[in-house]
Amino acid sequence: MTKQELEQCIEEYGRDIYSFCRYLTNDLPEAEDLYQDTFLLATEVKERIEYNRNPKSYLLSIALRIWKNKKRKYAWRKRIADVRSADDALEADSGGTAELSLEEQILATEKDESVRIAVSHLPEKLKIVVLLFYMEELTTAQIAEVIKIPVGTVLSRLHEARKRLKKELEDVL
Amino acid sequence: MKEKILDDALRQALAPQEEADVWLNQRILKRAEEKRTAGGRKSRLPAAVAAVLLLCAGSVTAYAAWKYLSPSDVAEEMQDAELAEVFQSAQATAVYETQSCEGYRVTLLGVVSGEGLSEYPRYQNGTLAQDRTYAVVAIEKEDGAPMPDISEEGYGELEFFVSPLIAGYDPALYNLASMSGNYMDMVQDGVLYRLVECDTVEIFADHEIYLCVTEGTFYPAEAYRYDRLTGEIGRNEDYEGLNALFGLPMDAAGADPQKAAEYIESLGLETDIPEEGWEVETDGAFEVEITEGHQKGAEVAEYALQFVGNPYSWGSDSLTDGTDSSGFTKSVYAYFGICIPHDSRGQREVGTKVDALDKAMPGDLIFYETPAHVAIYLGEGKIVHAMPEHGICISEAEFDDVSEIRRIRD
């Protein structure tokens, strides 16, 4: 990728990718690192066919790839066993440290904020699908390609996420 | 709560509105620039390693083995940790064989086949492509000049085609382009590393399996020889260009003739055109009759005729170096400034319909029942088309059942 192409790429998809990184990591420095690494990797390893087909999906898949590897290394260092089963992973990922910076950063209506907080409380696997669908407006087929899972799994995760959000947002909406 | 209320609330709340700071974007550009200049450096070998180079200079294998990244490192650099692990396992075969050719030093580093090896499985028409073969090669210039980095302009000008080939299967038909192939490049210390992947070739392990490394975007039919009787594939010694050919080691136990036959069948590349009852001419001797009002079509037919005798190559569209049937018609029409799609299904949509073969005029496109085959009508019941095994040739228009005729140019 030339400098010009990179500039163009940032201009066109910077907002999409940055927003995604912020929600995915729930942490400003982490988000900035991830955002930077995503674009740098995009310039370096160029899977040309994939990039040309859908640059945004491609960038999102890079971001997820880096994030996954980073978390894996972190987990390894802390000697935490890798949770393989999907159900266990859903439960294991839900943490309570979510709303810190989001609340500070986002100026918006109370309703929007409640929704964002509810999303940030989702286990990561569900959160990723929700972000790709509602924030990045990918189709379920595109999501399946980006995170490399069958379309059926995307649909069931989306369904599960909506079920949980509905429950949490009952009073707000 | 209504579903739509939740949908709308989510869309509104999550609309991407956060932007990175200006300085963050600037830092990315700066880092990318730094990487670019670092990539252009010739070598980053420390002094101690350089001394070893002198000692080992006599042995090509030893030289190659430590100088290049391992296949596992390459996969790691490409952010595929799972494949990196697989390349370190007993399942993979390390090869480290170097061939020098046309100013390039090409080294096959390793190969592995199996199911679910990568973090990034391929989807083919919506279904998961499970069983894949991965191979890594290193390519560098013999004179020590660095290969252009992927971010440099020169990278795009230098195309390599690296693909497994299978003895007994026409390499012009069965190569990376047709076998759901993909590749990734990276340049480190002036060496280009390429990871190629395609549907598994291990099921063909009862045949000789090769890996070709050559220049271009598609399989250059002239670079290798294919013996149709023995099935053997070899280098064309007279070819002026890079045409390295390695033996690709495979686990013989992985051979599965039945699966292999089903796979070949599923690709549907073999045209089931009767062997007898039609003749092929490859000398290009045909006089196109010019009818009043149809000169422009006749021009197309005449232009197409000059390429008779040139080779066939699936997925390609070069009139001189290899083309498939729809690439042939596409490239011929492109000469007249008419852009038609490469795939023959798309081509069936262009121009106007002609009812029957006896109404066809020179230059018309003739489509066949045989999947994806298309030809250019010459007149007098003859066509010119690109055929596997025969290359660009002239034959009877009714060598197969005609399904559609389209007129692009009168």
Side-chain angles (χ1 to χ4, degrees), chain A residues 48 50 65 134 162 166, chain B residues 3 7 120 122 183:
Chain A
R48 291 191 289 171
E50 296 295 322
R65 215 192 285 183
Y134 290 102
R162 292 171 51 93
K166 239 189 271 184
Chain B
E3 298 294 316
D7 274 343
Y120 312 108
R122 293 283 296 173
Y183 67 85

Side-chain angles (χ1 to χ4, degrees), chain A residues 123-136:
Chain A
E124 193 166 283
K125 289 198 172 175
L126 301 184
K127 187 166 75 181
I128 289 172
V129 177
V130 168
L131 292 179
L132 292 175
F133 190 78
Y134 290 102
M135 176 185 278
E136 306 296 339

Side-chain angles (χ1 to χ4, degrees), chain B residues 47-234:
Chain B
V49 179
V52 183
L53 172 63
L54 292 175
L55 292 174
C56 304
S59 156
V60 173
T61 317
Y63 163 77
W66 61 263
K67 184 188 163 180
Y68 296 118
L69 296 177
S70 72
S72 174
D73 292 336
V74 172
E76 187 82 52
E77 288 286 332
M78 291 176 177
Q79 299 288 320
D80 195 335
E82 270 172 43
L83 188 61
E85 244 172 74
V86 170
F87 265 121
Q88 280 182 345
S89 71
Q91 197 178 352
T93 312
V95 184
Y96 291 105
E97 182 193 330
T98 301
Q99 290 181 11
S100 291
C101 185
E102 286 292 314
Y104 290 108
R105 190 182 289 127
V106 183
T107 305
L108 170 59
L109 298 177
V111 57
V112 66
S113 302
E115 275 183 50
L117 303 184
S118 166
E119 283 188 45
Y120 312 108
R122 293 283 296 173
Y123 284 83
Q124 203 63 36
N125 304 324
T127 55
L128 201 57
Q130 287 281 12
D131 221 350
R132 305 281 280 174
T133 293
Y134 299 82
V136 180
V137 292
I139 305 172
E140 66 174 335
K141 299 223 176 88
E142 277 190 306
D143 62 9
M147 298 293 281
D149 197 69
I150 289 169
S151 54
E152 284 172 44
E153 297 291 338
Y155 169 71
E157 290 158 21
L158 209 56
E159 290 277 3
F160 292 99
F161 184 79
V162 179
S163 168
L165 305 175
I166 307 158
Y169 293 90
D170 187 346
L173 274 177
Y174 300 99
N175 58 52
L176 204 76
S178 54
M179 297 171 72
S180 312
N182 197 7
Y183 67 85
M184 267 177 121
D185 283 344
M186 58 172 276
V187 176
Q188 188 162 316
D189 296 332
V191 178
L192 173 75
Y193 293 90
R194 171 165 297 197
L195 170 69
V196 292
E197 60 160 302
C198 65
D199 291 331
T200 186
V201 289
E202 199 176 57
I203 50 175
F204 296 96
D206 51 349
H207 295 64
E208 181 96 35
I209 311 279
Y210 311 85
L211 188 85
C212 73
V213 179
T214 167
E215 278 177 283
T217 320
F218 289 106
Y219 177 76
E222 295 299 317
Y224 301 92
R225 292 184 198 283
Y226 175 52
D227 186 330
R228 288 184 193 284
L229 287 175
T230 64
E232 233 170 85
I233 298 168

